[in-house]
Amino acid sequence: MRRYTVPPEEEGRRLDRLIRDWWPSVGMGLRMGAIRRGDVRLDRMKVSCSKRLVAGQELTVPWDDEPVAPKGEESCVVRGESRVLPSWVIHMDQVLLVANKPPGWICQPGGSGNGTSLPEEVWRLIGRTGPVPAHRLDVNTSGVVLVPLTKPFARELQRMFREGLIRKLYWAVVKGRCGGAFRIDAPLYAGDGGPVAVSGEGREALSLVRPLCTHGGYSLVEVTLVTGRKHQARAHLAHAGLPIVGDPVYGVRLQGVRRPMLHARFISLPDEASLGDLRGASFTAPLMEDMEDLIGRLGLQHPGAMNRCGDLA
């Protein structure tokens, strides 16, 4: 008996058709008989010929022939062996990859210049093209990004983002003293590609801000984006008199800081059955080294270290 893992691209297919395509040298009678007898199993259970496949299931077959990769595919199975994942991967399973995007990486394939593309790095890792992030971060914003690996899961995430069911928290180092939690309820107008501006002509935008630590004229703040507008955290914080350090458009410059000190710190999924094992899951992205260094330089001891910033629950 040999075991394989059903890859994401085969999700939703009938078992008998996958067996036919993967092992064309095995005659139809042998294939169907093996399924009916239970010699072909999914997750070690006997199933019918018409059973629909789910990515990540263990497929057991009684023959030793290697499966044939479909035309244009390097491999039609994902083997179950363990592998070392790159440091930017927070989580990966059969349907979702969660990345801690470094600054300088773009969230779409291609693009201009020599920047690294997050989707293309994902493609290299999984050995096929196709998956793209379910949401985006600005090129120099770091932090957590969800990359669905199957089309059904991508559709679910897109729906949940549209309905505001996915919670996103950002950390930012800002110029100014943030004395307490507050709301920024200010519409944002994107215009024709220039900076985003607070304007009555813009779209509704809501951010929730709370301080994590304040020292020497700078603050480390947490921002919850209730809406998801372009440059929302950067524009809203500037509007509130707390511009992000290193932001060349909305913020303030500081020696040695080469990008906006904004990090997508945390994301959580809703408690919905359609997410399967990821129902209610949450992911936290460690800070990048440059942001860690600045926090230390400014005396903003963040809660991941000694929890000196008050009630952070």
Side-chain angles (χ1 to χ4, degrees):
M1 307 292 279
R2 303 194 69 176
R3 294 184 176 90
Y4 303 88
T5 302
V6 176
E9 59 267 26
E10 300 288 8
E11 173 127 16
R13 292 195 69 194
R14 285 174 53 123
L15 173 64
D16 56 353
R17 292 173 184 169
L18 176 136
I19 296 293
R20 176 198 64 194
D21 292 344
W22 282 19
W23 287 278
S25 62
V26 177
M28 183 178 70
L30 291 175
R31 295 196 305 266
M32 304 305 284
I35 296 172
R36 284 194 295 268
R37 289 191 304 272
D39 294 336
V40 172
R41 292 178 173 255
L42 283 173
D43 290 336
R44 306 193 181 191
M45 296 179 62
K46 182 178 179 179
V47 291
S48 66
C49 297
S50 60
K51 178 68 175 179
R52 298 286 178 174
L53 299 164
V54 176
Q57 288 180 310
E58 181 186 80
L59 170 66
T60 304
V61 297
W63 42 79
D64 292 329
D65 296 349
E66 285 291 341
V68 176
K71 185 177 180 181
E73 298 282 348
E74 292 183 4
S75 174
C76 59
V77 294
V78 178
R79 296 306 180 89
E81 72 268 11
S82 62
R83 54 175 152 172
V84 177
L85 296 174
S87 60
W88 53 268
V89 176
I90 298 172
H91 166 89
M92 189 172 78
D93 57 31
Q94 296 296 325
V95 297
L96 178 68
L97 183 146
V98 183
N100 186 11
K101 185 186 84 69
W105 287 27
I106 58 176
C107 281
Q108 60 268 11
S112 59
N114 297 318
T116 301
S117 162
L118 173 59
E120 291 172 12
E121 290 296 318
V122 171
W123 299 348
R124 276 190 280 272
L125 179 63
I126 66 176
R128 61 184 176 87
T129 62
V132 294
H135 57 117
R136 293 182 179 181
L137 298 178
D138 295 335
V139 62
N140 285 318
T141 298
S142 57
V144 63
V145 178
L146 303 180
V147 185
L149 301 180
T150 70
K151 290 181 180 180
F153 201 78
R155 287 192 292 269
E156 274 301 285
L157 289 185
Q158 289 162 4
R159 176 185 67 82
M160 291 172 181
F161 273 112
R162 285 196 306 270
E163 296 177 5
L165 300 176
I166 295 177
R167 184 176 179 228
K168 297 178 291 181
L169 300 180
Y170 290 71
W171 280 11
V173 178
V174 299
K175 174 70 173 176
R177 179 175 179 81
C178 182
F182 64 98
R183 295 162 54 98
I184 307 174
D185 191 354
L188 294 174
Y189 179 69
D192 298 322
V196 169
V198 172
S199 170
E201 299 178 6
R203 301 175 67 188
E204 176 187 7
L206 175 61
S207 301
L208 308 178
V209 182
R210 68 167 182 155
L212 298 178
C213 198
T214 296
H215 178 76
Y218 293 90
S219 298
L220 175 65
V221 299
E222 179 184 87
V223 185
T224 300
L225 300 185
V226 179
T227 54
R229 309 303 181 205
K230 178 183 177 182
H231 296 180
Q232 179 173 323
R234 297 164 63 191
H236 265 180
L237 287 171
H239 176 70
L242 295 169
I244 295 176
V245 173
D247 189 336
V249 178
Y250 307 96
V252 294
R253 298 183 182 276
L254 187 65
Q255 186 176 4
V257 179
R258 296 179 175 83
R259 69 168 182 102
M261 290 290 101
L262 178 64
H263 181 75
R265 174 67 170 170
F266 174 88
I267 197 164
S268 63
L269 302 177
D271 185 13
E272 291 201 4
S274 63
L275 294 175
D277 291 341
L278 292 169
R279 178 178 184 174
S282 62
F283 305 96
T284 300
L287 294 177
M288 296 295 160
E289 185 176 355
D290 60 346
M291 193 163 174
E292 284 271 16
D293 290 345
L294 180 64
I295 287 170
R297 178 154 65 101
L298 296 177
L300 300 171
Q301 186 65 60
H302 71 80
M306 296 179 64
N307 197 23
R308 287 168 46 192
C309 298
D311 181 11
L312 300 167

